[in-house]
Amino acid sequence: MASANPCYGLMKSWEVIMAKMRLLKWVLSVSVVFLFLIDGSSSSFTPPDDYSISCGASQNITFQSRSFVPDSQHSSLTLKTGNSLVASSKSGVPSPIYQSARIFTSKASYKFKIKQQGRHWVRLYFCPLPSSGHDLTSASLSVVADDFVLLNNFTFRKYSDAHMFKEYAINATSDTLTLTFIPSNGSEAFVNAIEVVSMPTYLFADQAFGLHPPSPVSGLSELAFETVYRLNIGGPLVTAQNDTLGRTWVNDLNYLHVNSSVLNVSVNPSSIKYPQAQGVTPETAPNWVYATADVMGDANVPNTNFNITWVFSVDPSFSYFVRVHFCDIMSKSLNSLVFNLYINSDLASGSVDLSTLTGNLNVPYYRDFVSGASADSNTLTVSVGPDNMADTRNATMNGLEIMKISNKLKSFDKNASVESLLPSSPSKIGKIGIIVGSVIGAVAALALLGLCYCCFVGRKAKPAQQGHSWLPLPLYGNSQTMTKVSTTSQKSGTASCISLASSNLGRFFSFQEILDATNKFDEKLLLGVGGFGRVYKGTLEDGTNVAVKRGNPRSEQGLAEFRTEIEMLSKLRHRHLVSLIGYCDERSEMILVYEYMANGPLRSHLYGTDLPPLSWKQRLEICIGAARGLHYLHTGAAQSIIHRDVKTTNILLDENFVAKVADFGLSKTGPALDQTHVSTAVKGSFGYLDPEYFRRQQLTDKSDVYSFGVVLMEVLCTRPALNPVLPREQVNIAEWAMTWQKKGMLDQIMDQNLVGKVNPASLKKFGETAEKCLAEHGVDRPSMGDVLWNLEYALQLQETSSALMEPEDNSTNHITGIQLTSLEPLDNSVSRIEGGISGKDDDIEDGATSTVFSQIVNPRGR
Ligand SMILES: *[C@@H]1O[C@H](CO)[C@@H](O)[C@H](O)[C@H]1NC(C)=O
Ligand SMILES: *[C@@H]1O[C@H](CO)[C@@H](O)[C@H](O)[C@H]1NC(C)=O
Ligand SMILES: *[C@@H]1O[C@H](CO)[C@@H](O)[C@H](O)[C@H]1NC(C)=O
């Protein structure tokens, strides 16, 4: 922010521009919503490329209400073959689509003209027609699509079924897509029908969440997928007629693990509400899929603790793309269903709360993962089970897709690559040359295109957000306008000034700088993994240590929270808040660069590590620091900010053990100033969650106060907020510590290291403060300012060992003279709360605190 001053004049005009942009943005978003309403209601997706080909047929064949055109009659299709024959048969054929075939005695290719590049369905139909005059059952064929091997030496002799249907999702990267059929030596190849059909670009994102290790997997769009399982869970077969993308969804019963006790539930498909703004559309999956589900059979019976598990046989040498579809059609009210999703034995998503994710019942939602087979087996399992913390012990799933991902050889066969099947193929080398050439040639153009894309296409892509959630940062709203301004300003040569100072997002880092700083995201530098992504230690060129937070792709906390965090943090400067240094949004990355906190999270100094125990004074100072940070968030900034995820891992310590509050990814501005943001659903961490917030969805700064009360107890007792292995009454620290506090015996459960070292009056004050924070109702909890005062008082008691005797010198670096003089009246005002005070008194008291606090907060805040 050093460059702020020379830009002052520019900032004024920037504000004018911003005001105009906001208006424009509003107009745009209104019209966009309008466009999509029309879009969504009148027509579904129309594929730009749409080939349905019946090979070797002499006339159109109708199959699943689609017309398959003979390959000889299709104009934008060429067939290159040395020698081909035609076969047809109407008897003994499972369905009309298989009644003709083209047979190749040597290598042959179909070339499809592609109007719009991107992922296409490639569907192949095979049936060894009995009366063809050839022994097609023992024919051995290989199939290649562009540079991917789809099938290698496949033969019906080893296949259990009389016909075969294969579906692939392949990225067409040029203006043709070539399917090559290769007979093995002396044998024949054949095919009965082919589909090559565009799919919506948002259907598959480039990234998904990988489970081994748990981290984002990117680059998926360069890989090919083969559909291996697609289930309509708890529902009937849905065929291509009922799916706008021509997919087939089968019932799940055959895959259910024997021990899974399930019930199927269903609703009228027309009651499924697609969320227009979130990229889940009827193309994601038809409403027939979301309208049925499996739920737990013996749900809500005490001691019933099981998962619903589906088991799939897979080839362990491949990775699989797993898409799980959910839609809460079972609940009667919001927020009653919270469950866990497992893939193999990995927790893929803990505490899935569909109400929170979708905002309503009957709203579809999905998540994508990449996983291998479960350890040492040929199976992949997907399970859902109840979450321990949920009121309702139940779980649900509506649909499941499992797709094999092409391997390093670009193949669906363990060993065969295109080079091995088509050794003379020059396409590969030629293509690489072209790619390299165009990459070098087009970098500048791409950069420009990227900007245009952000400004214009990004707008269009809005409904595709879920599929696209890894788009570069400047996608909507302010950052979009910022992009525009910085492009123009680059011409005038003041780019860095404007884009940094006025966008206020801190320093921009190039991806290369980030790579250098983190030694290419060296796992040895990993500091932690959170909901947002992974955090690495980095060192900038000038030697400054930083913490580099790299966002997960498609984590549900994705883009929106990245932006929230970047915007909030850049506005907030305070000694007790972790500062944002800069960010990187190059290459679709979402990277934040923070000041490095040498002593890490508070939690690691409390338990679970070998670090030396903190003294009582240190603990009090840390709690006071964190309370100051939170108090500043609640009252010091222009808008009241509720942190929403206060916990001991979000309180970080610098090299001098100064506490700073971190992670505003979940933050929201307070209700009074930003009405639209308040209706957001419950987020936060179990164990810290304000029970009132959870029940009533009402977000206030008192929710943070509750969580902070949990932190206080954790600091005193050095145990996790929730510890499920303990006896029931001890699991939740808030409940457990409160029972001891009410007896006045907190010393019985406090950290053994503190015994004999804590002044009893200080402990009493601390315990009372925590107790008030943990009050059941928000109105009964003190403000963060009161908490701060009480903690400072507790520190004073510890320091002086006798309260309010005489003004001590400020050996405690946070406390200055003014505070000591005002300490007694303020403390009394808190005691009045204990006697139960009216809302009126509350106001007076709040007013008193904030005046006093403005003196403390402002000199440090900016
Ligand atoms: C639903 O469950 C019943 C038995 O509870 C079963 O007979 C039926 O086949 C199931 N339907 C589907 C579509 O799975
Ligand atoms: C599918 O579509 C047909 C008609 O297009 C309809 O009769 C049928 O009920 C639909 N449902 C399912 C589950 O296939
Ligand atoms: C559900 O499955 C997961 C993964 O295998 C396992 O860790 C968990 O304990 C199971 N839960 C129950 C209740 O069986």
Side-chain angles (χ1 to χ4, degrees):
M1 302 298 126
S3 53
N5 283 344
C7 292
Y8 189 72
L10 286 169
M11 279 184 71
K12 284 281 168 198
S13 48
W14 163 261
E15 274 159 25
V16 176
I17 294 172
M18 284 301 285
K20 288 186 180 163
M21 285 305 192
R22 269 192 291 265
L23 181 67
L24 178 65
K25 192 179 109 186
W26 181 81
V27 171
L28 275 175
S29 56
V30 169
S31 49
V32 164
V33 167
F34 184 61
L35 278 178
F36 280 105
L37 285 179
I38 292 175
D39 223 10
S41 54
S42 65
S43 68
S44 56
F45 171 73
T46 311
D49 299 307
D50 191 1
Y51 294 93
S52 299
I53 307 295
S54 172
C55 304
S58 49
Q59 59 190 35
N60 284 5
I61 290 176
T62 302
F63 174 63
Q64 293 180 334
S65 33
R66 281 169 302 164
S67 185
F68 283 68
V69 180
D71 53 357
S72 53
Q73 289 169 22
H74 208 293
S75 56
S76 13
L77 167 75
T78 47
L79 174 59
K80 280 194 185 164
T81 170
N83 199 357
S84 86
L85 304 157
V86 166
S88 75
S89 165
K90 287 207 165 129
S91 62
V93 173
S95 99
I97 192 72
Y98 294 107
Q99 71 191 16
S100 69
R102 194 168 287 276
I103 303 168
F104 310 107
T105 51
S106 62
K107 189 181 86 185
S109 320
Y110 284 97
K111 274 190 196 301
F112 297 85
K113 272 195 197 131
I114 297 297
K115 288 192 206 132
Q116 189 173 310
Q117 298 182 12
R119 262 193 205 280
H120 287 64
W121 298 114
V122 172
R123 299 190 175 112
L124 305 175
Y125 299 79
F126 301 96
C127 177
L129 292 180
S131 58
S132 64
H134 295 262
D135 181 10
L136 296 184
T137 305
S138 54
S140 169
L141 69 140
S142 301
V143 182
V144 167
D146 284 349
D147 43 7
F148 288 97
V149 177
L150 308 186
L151 284 175
N152 181 37
N153 284 340
F154 170 81
T155 167
F156 271 95
R157 230 178 341 173
K158 298 186 204 142
Y159 193 69
S160 53
D161 226 335
H163 56 103
M164 179 169 76
F165 169 70
K166 287 277 187 184
E167 181 183 84
Y168 304 88
I170 289 176
N171 199 355
T173 53
S174 70
D175 55 6
T176 55
L177 189 144
T178 307
L179 280 180
T180 307
F181 293 81
I182 307 157
S184 299
N185 285 347
S187 161
E188 286 142 340
F190 69 96
V191 60
N192 302 62
I194 303 174
E195 288 175 66
V196 173
V197 188
S198 308
M199 64 179 83
T201 48
Y202 61 81
L203 195 64
F204 294 109
D206 187 52
Q207 309 219 5
F209 197 78
L211 294 167
H212 274 287
S215 69
V217 174
S218 58
L220 292 179
S221 47
E222 282 155 40
L223 305 174
F225 293 169
E226 176 188 343
T227 308
V228 283
Y229 300 98
R230 184 177 286 131
L231 306 185
N232 177 19
I233 292 178
L237 174 72
V238 173
T239 59
Q241 278 127 301
N242 294 60
D243 182 307
T244 50
L245 299 185
R247 293 164 297 196
T248 300
W249 305 72
V250 305
N251 176 259
D252 63 302
L253 216 55
N254 289 341
Y255 304 97
L256 263 180
H257 189 262
V258 283
N259 292 336
S260 297
S261 157
V262 301
L263 288 176
N264 50 41
V265 292
S266 64
V267 294
N268 187 330
S270 63
S271 64
I272 299 301
K273 301 178 215 122
Y274 285 96
Q276 288 287 338
Q278 282 165 36
V280 189
T281 69
E283 278 70 49
T284 312
N287 55 5
W288 294 99
V289 171
Y290 289 116
T292 63
D294 278 351
V295 301
M296 284 172 62
D298 295 317
N300 287 325
V301 177
N303 300 325
T304 303
N305 203 14
F306 65 91
N307 290 324
I308 311 177
T309 299
W310 293 265
V311 184
F312 304 91
S313 69
V314 295
D315 179 344
S317 59
F318 283 82
S319 289
Y320 291 83
F321 175 87
V322 180
R323 174 168 287 182
V324 190
H325 296 270
F326 297 112
C327 185
D328 187 354
I329 57 170
M330 58 167 282
S331 295
K332 300 278 173 284
S333 63
L334 281 171
N335 293 101
S336 57
L337 175 67
V338 179
F339 58 93
N340 292 329
L341 168 70
Y342 306 91
I343 296 182
N344 298 328
S345 55
D346 301 311
L347 180 65
S349 280
S351 308
V352 178
D353 174 359
L354 295 175
S355 299
T356 298
L357 296 164
T358 62
N360 210 340
L361 302 178
N362 292 5
V363 176
Y365 179 77
Y366 70 88
R367 283 195 199 186
D368 295 338
F369 301 92
V370 172
S371 176
S374 61
D376 306 319
S377 80
N378 295 337
T379 60
L380 187 155
T381 63
V382 178
S383 316
V384 286
D387 186 277
N388 279 336
M389 290 301 110
D391 298 343
T392 310
R393 302 191 57 77
N394 211 332
T396 190
M397 194 190 291
N398 303 59
L400 183 61
E401 293 175 88
I402 299 182
M403 305 184 89
K404 190 175 177 182
I405 302 176
S406 58
N407 63 13
K408 283 202 187 87
L409 298 173
K410 296 189 143 196
S411 175
F412 290 105
D413 183 273
K414 226 183 291 182
N415 309 311
S417 64
V418 170
E419 288 82 353
S420 68
L421 289 173
L422 300 171
S424 59
S425 162
S427 72
K428 187 84 194 181
I429 294 156
K431 258 190 195 156
I432 287 173
I434 291 165
I435 289 167
V436 170
S438 40
V439 164
I440 292 169
V443 163
L446 267 181
L448 277 176
L449 271 178
L451 288 171
C452 300
Y453 180 79
C454 296
C455 297
F456 304 109
V457 184
R459 207 25 100 170
K460 270 199 206 161
K462 191 164 183 176
Q465 199 214 330
Q466 188 167 15
H468 265 184
S469 62
W470 200 242
L471 278 172
L473 168 73
L475 183 53
Y476 319 118
N478 292 340
S479 58
Q480 187 179 96
T481 55
M482 269 166 335
T483 317
K484 282 182 188 165
V485 170
S486 45
T487 355
T488 23
S489 58
Q490 253 148 24
K491 287 179 203 141
S492 61
T494 53
S496 61
C497 182
I498 278 207
S499 58
L500 293 189
S502 50
S503 67
N504 216 355
L505 295 184
R507 178 177 157 197
F508 170 80
F509 288 88
S510 70
F511 190 62
Q512 188 58 47
E513 279 176 285
I514 300 282
L515 286 177
D516 294 345
T518 57
N519 196 13
K520 301 199 177 73
F521 298 106
D522 190 341
E523 292 296 295
K524 287 195 208 86
L525 297 174
L526 194 65
L527 296 172
V529 181
F532 178 88
R534 294 160 96 73
V535 185
Y536 298 85
K537 183 179 175 183
T539 310
L540 300 182
E541 242 176 356
D542 66 2
T544 317
N545 283 330
V546 291
V548 175
K549 191 168 174 185
R550 186 182 197 189
N552 278 337
R554 319 240 9 232
S555 74
E556 79 239 22
Q557 288 151 305
L559 188 68
E561 280 171 17
F562 181 62
R563 302 227 27 244
T564 311
E565 183 145 11
I566 216 172
E567 279 171 13
M568 288 229 178
L569 271 177
S570 51
K571 276 185 242 151
L572 300 171
R573 298 282 148 182
H574 189 270
R575 175 172 153 82
H576 293 288
L577 297 181
V578 174
S579 344
L580 179 73
I581 296 174
Y583 71 101
C584 166
D585 60 355
E586 250 180 31
R587 300 215 211 153
S588 312
E589 292 281 350
M590 302 199 295
I591 295 172
L592 295 173
V593 179
Y594 293 94
E595 68 177 306
Y596 177 66
M597 299 294 286
N599 277 309
L602 168 58
R603 182 184 171 135
S604 62
H605 296 270
L606 297 175
Y607 49 87
T609 63
D610 301 331
L611 296 171
L614 298 168
S615 71
W616 183 237
K617 180 178 172 217
Q618 274 177 313
R619 293 184 207 208
L620 286 172
E621 283 173 348
I622 288 165
C623 293
I624 288 168
R628 264 180 215 281
L630 289 172
H631 178 64
Y632 172 75
L633 283 181
H634 291 176
T635 62
Q639 291 188 323
S640 172
I641 290 161
I642 300 165
H643 185 292
R644 301 183 76 187
D645 200 14
V646 175
K647 53 182 175 183
T648 45
T649 46
N650 278 340
I651 297 171
L652 304 182
L653 304 175
D654 75 3
E655 65 281 10
N656 301 316
F657 285 89
V658 172
K660 304 198 182 200
V661 177
D663 201 349
F664 301 94
L666 295 167
S667 308
K668 295 285 172 199
T669 45
L673 289 137
D674 195 349
Q675 291 294 356
T676 56
H677 280 84
V678 195
S679 57
T680 48
V682 177
K683 284 189 178 172
S685 303
F686 278 114
Y688 295 91
L689 214 51
D690 170 7
E692 189 173 63
Y693 174 26
F694 194 66
R695 271 197 311 273
R696 296 175 37 194
Q697 297 266 298
Q698 267 176 7
L699 178 64
T700 71
D701 49 6
K702 296 297 177 69
S703 310
D704 283 352
V705 173
Y706 181 91
S707 308
F708 192 73
V710 177
V711 167
L712 293 179
M713 291 303 195
E714 223 179 314
V715 165
L716 180 69
C717 306
T718 52
R719 52 148 286 188
L722 284 181
N723 188 349
V725 302
L726 291 173
R728 229 185 103 143
E729 68 281 6
Q730 300 186 25
V731 166
N732 186 325
I733 195 174
E735 285 171 20
W736 174 237
M738 281 292 260
T739 56
W740 290 90
Q741 163 62 21
K742 292 207 169 104
K743 290 186 272 185
M745 293 165 72
L746 262 189
D747 55 328
Q748 298 295 304
I749 58 163
M750 74 181 187
D751 183 4
Q752 285 305 298
N753 292 305
L754 295 175
V755 172
K757 296 172 192 158
V758 178
N759 172 294
S762 175
L763 177 63
K764 182 161 179 277
K765 187 87 242 167
F766 187 89
E768 286 166 3
T769 311
E771 179 179 1
K772 283 183 210 126
C773 292
L774 294 173
E776 186 70 17
H777 300 286
V779 291
D780 299 332
R781 295 175 207 147
S783 71
M784 219 50 227
D786 291 330
V787 174
L788 178 48
W789 274 107
N790 281 281
L791 292 175
E792 289 186 327
Y793 188 23
L795 178 62
Q796 277 303 49
L797 290 170
Q798 176 72 14
E799 294 272 283
T800 62
S801 287
S802 63
L804 308 176
M805 288 277 289
E806 73 231 67
E808 270 275 322
D809 71 324
N810 40 7
S811 57
T812 59
N813 48 2
H814 305 312
I815 297 184
T816 58
I818 31 161
Q819 293 172 0
L820 266 179
T821 48
S822 51
L823 200 135
E824 189 172 10
L826 269 165
D827 182 58
N828 286 344
S829 81
V830 175
S831 329
R832 274 189 286 127
I833 292 182
E834 294 167 335
I837 61 169
S838 70
K840 217 173 173 186
D841 289 342
D842 217 343
D843 290 342
I844 295 165
E845 186 242 356
D846 274 348
T849 344
S850 43
T851 17
V852 179
F853 267 88
S854 58
Q855 294 173 310
I856 299 164
V857 170
N858 286 341
R860 280 181 181 141
R862 272 206 323 210

